[in-house]
Amino acid sequence: MANPERAAALGARLLARAERDRDRPGASTSLRILGLAARELQEPALAATRLRRSIAVAREHPQLAAESRMSLALVLNDLGRPRAALREIDQALLVLEGLPLARARMQHGILLRRLGRDTEALEAYGAALAAFRRHDDRLWQARALTNRGVLQAYRGMLAQARVDLERAEDLYRGLSLTAAVAQVQHNLGFVAAQGGDIVTALTWYDRADEQFRRSGRRPAEALIDRTELLLAARLLPEAHQAARDAVELAGSTRLGSLLPQARLLLAQAALAAGDTAEARRSARLARRAFERQQRERWAVHARYLESVATARQSPRRLRTLAAALDAAGWPEQALDARLRAAATGDAGALAELAAVDVGRGTVRLRIRAWHARALHRLHRGDRAGARRALLAGLRLLDQYRAALGATELRVLSSAEGGELAGLGVRLALLERSGRQVLGWAERWRAATLRLPAGRGDDDPVLARELAELRRVSAELAGYSSDAIRRARPLQRQRVLEDSIRRRTWRTATPDGVVETPGSVDEIVARLGARALVELVEQDGRLLAVVAVDGRIRLQPLVSATVVAAELAALRFAMRRLVLRYGSPASLAAAEAAARHGVRQLDEWLLGGPLSRLVGDRDLVVVPTGALQALPWSALPSCRGRSLAVAPSATAWARGAAGGGAPDGRTVLVAAARPEHALGEVRALAALAPAARVLAGPDATVRATLAAIDGASLVHLAAHGEFRADNPLFSHIDLADGPLTVHDLTGLHRAPDLVVLSACDTGLSAVHPGDELMGLTAALLGAGTRTLVASIGPVDDGATRALMLQLHDRLRHGAEPAAALAAAQVAAPAEHWATAHSFSCFGAGAA
């Protein structure tokens, strides 16, 4: 276990000596050594061949043959032949006695567990462990404790599992078996994952993986367990890739027992990604393998996934599968099957939801159980009871989300509440209550921004990796046209970004109070004379919740798909206008298309009865989905109007109420590129002589973060980039490299008003619950009240003119939203696309 390569070399020398001396017992023992080494090196087929030779050579020595049969049984189990493995171990048990017999009984327990005979396996582990303790066999004590700990984790006995595994870790450390210590640490991660503790599980898995990487031997089990965790954390692209890697590794090493499990996870990952063909194919292959191996518990799970991936599923079939899944010990999948059946309106499935237990299982399972209870109560006509169940589920989701320190994990976890919030909105619509629709939308929308922000400056390794990422990014910028020289730093950049992401997933939960959503009354009171338009998508259609003068109304709008298509065309046309891409005739067509697009979107979203409700009031807009990237100020109804675009009404109200008093400082930052940045900041400095200016080589990431911490007004002029592939690496380019979202987590107190004079800095990745990831969400989440940023490319000269107009109005006391609106109206016609690429996010005040 400590060094299988060296063991194999020694075994080969011993075998050669034994064969020379015609020493059959020595040859048998040497072949067993070679077989065990091959197993540790993940070559089970070679291991089986060597162990069979060992048994054949030892035919006149039953004890030696039985010990080799014991080892062969494990290898056959690895190869996915549990029945053959049982035959071998049964023969060994007839011959062995004393300590070897106890070892064989422990191996027997492993085979029983693989076949789903958990109670018998626990008994076998317990009896073997007692014998190992009597003989002070610490290695086999550690093995038995590890196996029993994993089995107890599967059975939900998490405290007992941790005790066994921690004792096994101590024993392996005493034996200096670092690879075995890593495997136990991985299993401690598995225990945490079984309990729904994603952060602790990731921490243990990463710690074990460091040792696996050093040894060059990553067990397929480790990939399988990580895939399960990534699926639970809704890190779906990563889960899909990990599942494919697990299938490849288990297949290439002929690990027949693990290959169907890996395929089962690949089916789950494909299903989550919407690839039903791959899901169906993987589930079918997994099912057939489980059936051949007579592993019925796993075969039930595979049958269910295969059924879900088919085009049609009858409620009766789903209910039958739910019962089988329950009996096999798959409670989460059983509940999912019942919810799918209930979604068809099947009365039998809805009745079965009454028995769902909301108090047992992982947090994710209990959240779904509250949804099931709400559906059952609604089926009985108990709307009030259904609302209480939905609120209980969302409160549990708030607690679950708060336990995750990493922004990315929090954002992705919001998807767990989609069905709860959607049903709540549906109930409110049944009662035609705009107040209730607003309340339900706010319970779920952008909830991550209500949590205390995690800080990234406490991890020195993370700080070093971010600094190296800046260095590598600067190197790449210097090789912008040299593909060959870019290859190595580009690979290093990918490695660093992956490491930084993984490290931030393990961010500890920050201290602080978890805010509940603002009550509807509080939001309405804070509006004053303003109007709120909050957009909600339900069953593919948009509707607006409008709050004006203390009254809340519902206004049905249009299909979300139609709006998304028109918005995509508008953004394409505005991009062409800014970049001046094409002939004069094509640019004229682009301008006509853009003007048509804003008129059409204005009519759909703010026209008709809604425009009469809103009048000419200052406006707070809470978009949904793709509308987060709409240039709202370009709509004719918004021309010259003070307009704040907020991720949620709760977030807007919090910002409008103000927070910690800013220190009154103005900070102006200009990178050396683009060319207009230095001139823009110098011109702004002339308007604010007391401002702190960081320009050119002085505008480093470290100096900028120190300067903007707690400032009243910050203006950054630089190149910006939104990373659609990895939004938390969206950045502003400064003197020494990119200032990313990750860097902003190190701020002790966010600046009050931030102006980002750069391209694309207002764009965000939008996840379920209108959770945002990008620079906008990072700053608003950290406590910035108002952010002026662009949702597209911008022209340098037009931007400079707009920024001077904006700051001149701010200097004369205008609020940011009003100042930006006035600056946009004053912009020349040829600057129209750039001027309206900027939006005022957050409170709109300072």
Side-chain angles (χ1 to χ4, degrees), residues 442-460:
E442 286 297 308
R443 285 283 333 180
W444 189 41
R445 174 167 273 161
T448 295
L449 295 179
R450 302 200 306 265
L451 298 171
R455 287 179 49 76
D457 62 345
D458 299 328
D459 184 344

Side-chain angles (χ1 to χ4, degrees), residues 435 516-528 649-650 652-653:
R435 178 175 292 272
T516 57
S519 74
V520 172
D521 288 338
E522 290 170 346
I523 293 168
V524 170
R526 183 66 59 187
L527 284 170
T650 299
W652 173 84

Side-chain angles (χ1 to χ4, degrees), residues 147-228:
N147 289 320
R148 190 172 73 174
V150 171
L151 176 53
Q152 291 184 139
Y154 270 114
R155 290 165 62 91
M157 302 159 68
L158 303 184
Q160 298 95 317
R162 276 191 294 272
V163 170
D164 277 356
L165 291 170
E166 286 166 0
R167 177 59 182 146
E169 184 182 13
D170 289 341
L171 288 167
Y172 280 133
R173 283 190 190 281
L175 296 166
S176 300
L177 294 173
T178 54
V181 169
Q183 187 63 61
V184 174
Q185 290 176 339
H186 177 87
N187 287 331
L188 284 166
F190 175 73
V191 174
Q194 291 295 100
D197 187 348
I198 288 172
V199 175
T200 300
L202 283 167
T203 302
W204 280 117
Y205 283 173
D206 287 350
R207 190 177 299 175
D209 273 358
E210 289 175 12
Q211 173 60 33
F212 295 149
R213 278 192 290 271
R214 282 195 294 270
S215 69
R217 296 190 302 275
R218 191 184 197 187
E221 295 99 319
L223 267 173
I224 287 171
D225 291 343
R226 183 177 282 275
T227 302
E228 284 187 310

Side-chain angles (χ1 to χ4, degrees), residues 638-662:
C638 297
R639 177 178 170 79
R641 188 197 296 263
S642 175
L643 172 66
V645 180
S648 72
T650 299
W652 173 84
R654 182 186 63 186

Side-chain angles (χ1 to χ4, degrees), residues 768-788:
D770 289 315
E771 295 280 11
L772 308 180
M773 280 203 293
L775 288 164
T776 301
L779 284 163
L780 295 179
T784 292
R785 293 178 67 200
T786 299
L787 171 70
V788 175

Side-chain angles (χ1 to χ4, degrees), residues 446-744:
T448 295
L449 295 179
R450 302 200 306 265
L451 298 171
R455 287 179 49 76
D457 62 345
D458 299 328
D459 184 344
V461 177
L462 177 61
R464 286 197 299 272
E465 288 184 335
L466 286 168
E468 186 178 355
L469 180 62
R470 288 193 286 276
R471 183 189 63 75
V472 171
S473 299
E475 184 180 354
L476 280 168
Y479 300 150
S480 58
S481 59
D482 189 334
I484 295 175
R485 297 182 74 183
R486 282 174 60 86
R488 181 171 292 179
L490 193 61
Q491 176 62 26
R492 181 59 182 156
Q493 181 189 49
R494 294 193 186 103
V495 169
L496 282 168
E497 289 183 352
D498 182 62
S499 178
I500 289 166
R501 278 188 76 208
R502 289 173 179 268
R503 190 165 292 278
T504 56
W505 293 343
R506 307 195 315 246
T507 302
T509 305
D511 295 328
V513 177
V514 179
E515 293 184 31
T516 57
S519 74
V520 172
D521 288 338
E522 290 170 346
I523 293 168
V524 170
R526 183 66 59 187
L527 284 170
R530 302 177 188 86
L532 168 70
V533 176
E534 179 151 345
L535 298 170
V536 177
E537 183 178 341
Q538 187 74 6
D539 298 327
R541 295 192 66 81
L542 291 172
L543 59 94
V545 183
V546 186
V548 178
D549 294 335
R551 299 185 64 187
I552 302 174
R553 298 175 176 85
L554 284 174
Q555 180 62 49
L557 300 176
V558 295
S559 160
T561 302
V562 170
V563 170
E566 190 66 49
L567 172 58
L570 168 61
R571 286 179 50 75
F572 179 75
M574 289 183 70
R575 188 176 189 87
R576 291 193 66 184
L577 290 174
V578 169
L579 299 177
R580 309 303 298 169
Y581 177 72
S583 64
S586 66
L587 289 174
E591 181 166 6
R595 299 284 184 177
H596 171 269
V598 294
R599 287 194 299 271
Q600 182 63 78
L601 287 165
D602 190 51
E603 179 183 338
W604 284 340
L605 299 175
L606 296 176
L610 196 149
S611 67
R612 292 191 290 275
L613 289 173
V614 170
D616 60 357
R617 294 171 174 82
D618 293 349
L619 196 58
V620 177
V621 173
V622 179
T624 187
L627 294 175
Q628 303 283 352
L630 174 64
W632 288 91
S633 64
L635 305 188
S637 296
C638 297
R639 177 178 170 79
R641 188 197 296 263
S642 175
L643 172 66
V645 180
S648 72
T650 299
W652 173 84
R654 182 186 63 186
D663 59 15
R665 289 181 299 117
T666 295
V667 179
L668 307 174
V669 181
R673 297 173 53 251
E675 293 180 1
H676 83 282
L678 290 171
E680 178 178 304
V681 161
R682 289 192 185 105
L684 293 175
L687 297 175
R692 168 83 184 278
V693 178
L694 294 172
D698 295 329
T700 63
V701 169
R702 184 174 181 179
T704 298
L705 289 171
I708 70 175
D709 208 314
S712 292
L713 189 158
V714 170
H715 182 102
L716 289 96
H719 275 307
E721 182 182 354
F722 171 68
R723 288 278 301 275
D725 64 317
N726 207 334
L728 296 182
F729 287 99
S730 300
H731 59 265
I732 299 287
D733 282 331
L734 295 179
D736 57 341
L739 185 156
T740 69
V741 170
H742 292 292
D743 292 299
L744 292 171

